Amino acid sequence: MDDRSKHDHSGWQAVVLAARERARSRQALMVERFGLSGDVQYDWSMDDAQITWSRDGKVFLTGRLTVIGSVSAAQQTWLWSWANESLPHAALGDMERVRQFGEENDYPVLPWPGFTYDPELVAEARMVAASVLDAEGLWAESMDDAQLHFMIHDLALTA
């Protein structure tokens, strides 16, 4: 089910435009507010859906992760996290709401389990998902043959 002609309509484009602007401003605010540049290290876990940032070995920020989906480099496909049975339940967050939003608003790419990889479509899907779930930021991690895409929520400074 990979029919881009049904996907490219004005309603989707308006949602994407709003989500893109929201993601850009939220991402910039997150990086600036918490100082997430320079000598910052991070550690993450899908098992408990957590991410921490540290400087000089001292954790200063924690957050909750939600896996949006993944790209397989070998297969050149995108797979939504809600359709990936190998992911820990904690890492899925409220991703079912993203699928439902797509069904309710006739945005086919959101309820498709996966689709042929297209960088622009993946970017759009990530940003709309982040908007639907009110994420504070977006993040991606490349490993082996996969690229994982996450939302960041519930950021909290540690004492």
Side-chain angles (χ1 to χ4, degrees), residues 75-87:
Q75 297 175 355
Q76 289 293 292
T77 56
W78 166 265
L79 179 64
W80 285 102
S81 62
W82 57 261
N84 187 340
E85 295 177 6
S86 70
L87 294 175

Side-chain angles (χ1 to χ4, degrees), residues 9-30:
H9 54 76
S10 61
W12 173 254
Q13 292 305 317
V15 167
V16 167
L17 186 61
R20 181 172 283 144
E21 185 54 40
R22 181 189 178 285
R24 282 184 185 145
S25 64
R26 284 247 172 142
Q27 195 79 13
L29 179 64
M30 180 182 75

Side-chain angles (χ1 to χ4, degrees), residues 13-105:
Q13 292 305 317
V15 167
V16 167
L17 186 61
R20 181 172 283 144
E21 185 54 40
R22 181 189 178 285
R24 282 184 185 145
S25 64
R26 284 247 172 142
Q27 195 79 13
L29 179 64
M30 180 182 75
V31 170
E32 180 182 330
R33 179 177 176 209
F34 297 109
L36 298 179
S37 59
D39 63 344
V40 176
Q41 294 81 42
Y42 62 88
D43 189 36
W44 60 279
S45 166
M46 277 198 287
D47 292 332
D48 62 2
Q50 295 292 312
I51 185 167
T52 60
W53 287 268
S54 60
R55 226 180 239 111
D56 299 322
K58 183 175 177 173
V59 172
F60 67 92
L61 182 66
T62 63
R64 179 173 55 87
L65 292 177
T66 299
V67 179
I68 303 169
S70 58
V71 174
S72 167
Q75 297 175 355
Q76 289 293 292
T77 56
W78 166 265
L79 179 64
W80 285 102
S81 62
W82 57 261
N84 187 340
E85 295 177 6
S86 70
L87 294 175
H89 182 72
L92 299 179
D94 292 329
M95 283 301 296
E96 183 63 22
R97 284 183 36 215
V98 174
R99 188 191 62 72
Q100 290 170 347
F101 177 79
E103 286 179 351
E104 291 166 4
N105 293 284

Side-chain angles (χ1 to χ4, degrees), residues 7 12 16 68 78 80 98 109-110 115 120-131:
H7 177 74
W12 173 254
V16 167
I68 303 169
W78 166 265
W80 285 102
V98 174
V109 72
L110 300 178
F115 50 85
E120 183 61 26
L121 187 54
V122 167
E124 291 174 357
R126 282 172 27 117
M127 288 181 275
V128 170
S131 181

